[in-house]
Amino acid sequence: MADAVTTPDGVPRRMEPVAGAVLSGMIERGGGTIITVSSLAAVTPNLLGGAAYGAAKAGVRNFMSFLHTTFRGEGIRAITVLPGEADTPILDGRARPPAPEERANMVQPIDVARAVHLAATLPARTVLQEVVVAPTRQRDTSGDLEISRWLGAPDNAKSPSAEEAGA
């Protein structure tokens, strides 16, 4: 089912048909739970994730809010998990991939899994409509943002040296 929900680069698509495929059965049974993992970029987009990524994740969040407000009276719990910067392979594609010591303080995949488990196992009378999973210690991303700001800029644009950008 994951292929029906995301493209190879992780951008959500076709959520409506997937949700539609399970909603009727859930409604017939008197309730159910749909959980999606979006991103904190849905709430606070920035240069590290990019505009398209943030917009796609915001679309997921919006769709899940729609499901929640539309079907909660049918016993449907629609939950969106919004992880912050997480130590996953997507970081390897950044202009400056985080160092191992930076990754150690990031949200880990197991942290997101535990949030999903918590949301799924609460009694049916309770819904965590949105769950933000963020690192306790936020790393300084100012250098990364500056590098990303100039990535793809025209050759004649003045960009700071890697040293000035904190790389």
Side-chain angles (χ1 to χ4, degrees):
M1 188 174 289
D3 290 339
V5 178
T6 61
T7 61
D9 61 353
V11 178
R13 67 174 187 183
R14 299 196 316 252
M15 289 191 61
E16 203 168 341
V18 173
V22 298
L23 267 174
S24 61
M26 289 179 174
I27 291 169
E28 287 173 14
R29 289 187 298 278
T33 303
I34 300 172
I35 301 174
T36 60
V37 177
S38 180
S39 170
L40 204 48
V43 181
T44 53
N46 63 46
L47 287 169
L48 297 181
Y53 180 81
K57 296 303 185 174
V60 170
R61 180 180 183 228
N62 185 282
F63 182 71
M64 292 301 287
S65 286
F66 167 80
L67 288 180
H68 173 75
T69 58
T70 304
F71 296 104
R72 70 186 300 173
E74 308 287 339
I76 305 300
R77 300 186 307 168
I79 301 165
T80 308
V81 178
L82 301 162
E85 191 172 44
D87 183 16
T88 63
I90 197 170
L91 298 179
D92 297 332
R94 288 207 177 150
R96 188 196 71 82
E101 58 273 11
E102 292 174 303
R103 290 178 183 235
N105 287 319
M106 291 179 182
V107 171
Q108 300 298 309
I110 188 67
D111 304 331
V112 177
R114 287 180 176 157
V116 169
H117 181 262
L118 171 65
T121 57
L122 283 173
R125 67 178 174 268
T126 304
V127 62
L128 296 175
Q129 184 180 348
E130 290 187 345
V131 181
V132 173
V133 184
T136 302
R137 292 187 174 141
Q138 181 65 40
R139 72 185 186 95
D140 179 6
T141 59
S142 59
D144 298 23
L145 290 168
E146 192 60 26
I147 290 168
S148 296
R149 178 181 323 282
W150 294 102
L151 191 66
D155 290 338
N156 61 355
K158 180 176 178 351
S159 66
S161 67
E163 192 173 283
E164 291 172 11

